[in-house]
Amino acid sequence: MRVLLVKTSSLGDVIHTLPALTDAARAIPGIRFDWVVEEGFAEIPAWHPAVSQVIPVALRRWRKHLWKTWRSGEWTRFKQRLREADYDLVIDAQGLLKSAWLTRYVRAPVVGLDRDSAREPLAARFYTHGYAVPWGQHAVERLRQLFARALDYPLPGNVGDYGLDRAQLAAPADTPYLLFLHGTTWPSKHWPETYWRRLAECMSERGWALRLPWGNDTEKARAERIVAGLDGAAVLPRLNLAGVAKVIAGARACVAVDTGLGHLAAALDVPTLSLYGPTLPARVGAYGRGQVHLCASGPNAGLGDRERPCFDDLLPERVVAELETLLQAPETPRCV
């Protein structure tokens, strides 16, 4: 059976889809997936053994340069690639108008979430059949239910398995290290830099090597300030997504804010302490074994505000204590 999966973005959403592929591969021997995904995340689907082809799409870039996209023929080639393939089924796992629109170019039945379950109800108009999947549960579990219903197999009762081989991805390291995933998008999701610095000092004093990645000049400067003068602490060189994945896979543990790289750490089965302020982890938090969620409790916490800070009460001393506990029992799922 050959299935086309449409799940274009974001990084966390793409990662949340992997356990559903693992379920399907175990339930239906020989099933193969082609995956339409934003070009910036195209490396991730290729890591899953059930994925045959990754079909990059560049909706974000194309929207900014419509004339250039049309003249270059990129859009035409993308449509032709979808039309030429022979699929048994198309699953739109995004539930948005932009993802549903892409399914118009495939000659196969299209399924997705029904209008009461999709993030954008109008997307369901493009489907041959829509499935009801209740809200109020984690995104990973919703996707697992969608796949089970669309492909007609019993929903497994176990914790979802991302299907990634951490040992294969990990880069060799002479010294065990902790990884601080400090970069994120919303201003309100940033844990205060002074708190990061205190955490770095405490873990360095305990003999841990520290590694900090970065994705832009602002993040690089912050990383340098966080570890300035600390023994065994280093700011990594600029890395692509595959390079960051190798560093994550080799880490003894991670501390992360609400960021896609935190979800990647969970997918690679790396014990991770995730810090949540304006968002709550119940529906989109890091999912898997060894994942600890620490939530701020100030007046702006959990409100989804992109700007107002809310981390004042989530102090570094608490993070240090929880991180030490996580390091002692990395396989124990906990939610604090």
Side-chain angles (χ1 to χ4, degrees):
M1 184 177 190
R2 190 177 181 191
V3 178
L4 180 68
L5 168 62
V6 180
K7 186 74 165 182
T8 60
S9 60
S10 60
L11 178 57
D13 289 346
V14 170
I15 292 168
H16 284 161
T17 313
L18 297 172
L21 269 70
T22 304
D23 291 346
R26 290 172 178 171
I28 307 172
I31 190 171
R32 304 300 296 170
F33 290 90
D34 290 354
W35 190 331
V36 176
V37 65
E38 271 286 341
E39 58 184 0
F41 310 130
E43 292 164 300
I44 293 174
W47 300 338
H48 196 285
V51 175
S52 294
Q53 295 185 57
V54 179
I55 304 174
V57 67
L59 294 178
R60 296 176 177 180
R61 177 168 56 84
W62 292 344
R63 281 198 300 262
K64 294 179 181 179
H65 307 284
L66 293 175
W67 177 244
K68 183 179 179 180
T69 299
W70 181 79
R71 289 194 63 185
S72 69
E74 279 191 89
W75 174 242
T76 300
R77 289 192 294 273
F78 171 76
K79 291 191 296 182
Q80 287 175 342
R81 188 171 182 182
L82 294 187
R83 285 170 173 159
E84 290 169 355
D86 184 18
Y87 294 108
D88 298 295
L89 188 69
V90 180
I91 299 178
D92 176 12
Q94 194 89 37
L96 299 177
L97 282 171
K98 69 176 183 180
S99 57
W101 180 263
L102 297 177
T103 67
R104 298 172 65 251
Y105 306 105
V106 189
R107 291 190 293 267
V110 180
V111 300
L113 297 166
D114 71 11
R115 66 182 315 278
D116 294 322
S117 306
R119 288 164 60 187
E120 293 182 358
L122 286 177
R125 288 180 171 267
F126 290 84
Y127 306 150
T128 309
H129 188 80
Y131 293 97
V133 176
W135 292 95
Q137 53 188 326
H138 197 281
V140 168
E141 298 301 339
R142 297 190 80 228
L143 287 165
R144 295 177 75 194
Q145 291 172 38
L146 172 62
F147 275 59
R149 297 196 63 188
L151 296 169
D152 194 25
Y153 58 81
L155 179 68
N158 60 307
V159 175
D161 180 353
Y162 291 95
L164 304 184
D165 187 344
R166 174 182 173 184
Q168 184 178 7
L169 287 170
D174 296 330
T175 304
Y177 59 88
L178 305 178
L179 190 66
F180 290 176
L181 303 174
H182 58 98
T184 186
T185 50
W186 299 3
S188 60
K189 287 184 179 181
H190 283 282
W191 200 44
E193 185 179 317
T194 55
Y195 288 8
W196 278 114
R197 174 65 185 186
R198 180 59 185 150
L199 175 64
E201 290 172 344
C202 289
M203 300 316 293
S204 181
E205 289 168 1
R206 287 159 172 77
W208 282 100
L210 307 176
R211 301 290 182 266
L212 280 71
W214 53 276
N216 55 50
D217 290 343
T218 299
E219 291 181 4
K220 182 182 181 183
R222 180 172 61 241
E224 290 171 342
R225 292 191 297 268
I226 289 170
V227 299
L230 298 180
D231 292 337
V235 176
L236 297 170
R238 190 178 190 114
L239 300 169
N240 60 16
L241 188 55
V244 175
K246 288 182 181 296
V247 176
I248 292 174
R252 180 64 176 79
C254 298
V255 180
V257 288
D258 185 3
T259 174
L261 294 181
H263 296 294
L264 183 54
L268 292 169
D269 206 20
V270 177
T272 300
L273 185 62
S274 296
L275 312 178
Y276 292 90
T279 56
L280 298 174
R283 298 185 184 180
V284 292
Y287 174 101
R289 297 180 300 172
Q291 303 303 304
V292 177
H293 303 152
L294 285 183
C295 299
S297 57
N300 298 327
L303 299 180
D305 190 303
R306 292 173 177 261
E307 300 295 333
R308 290 188 295 176
C310 54
F311 271 124
D312 289 350
D313 67 327
L314 187 49
L315 300 175
E317 290 75 18
R318 183 184 175 197
V319 175
V320 169
E322 293 295 340
L323 181 55
E324 288 188 315
T325 301
L326 181 65
L327 289 165
Q328 293 167 7
E331 297 300 324
T332 304
R334 303 171 62 244
C335 184
V336 181

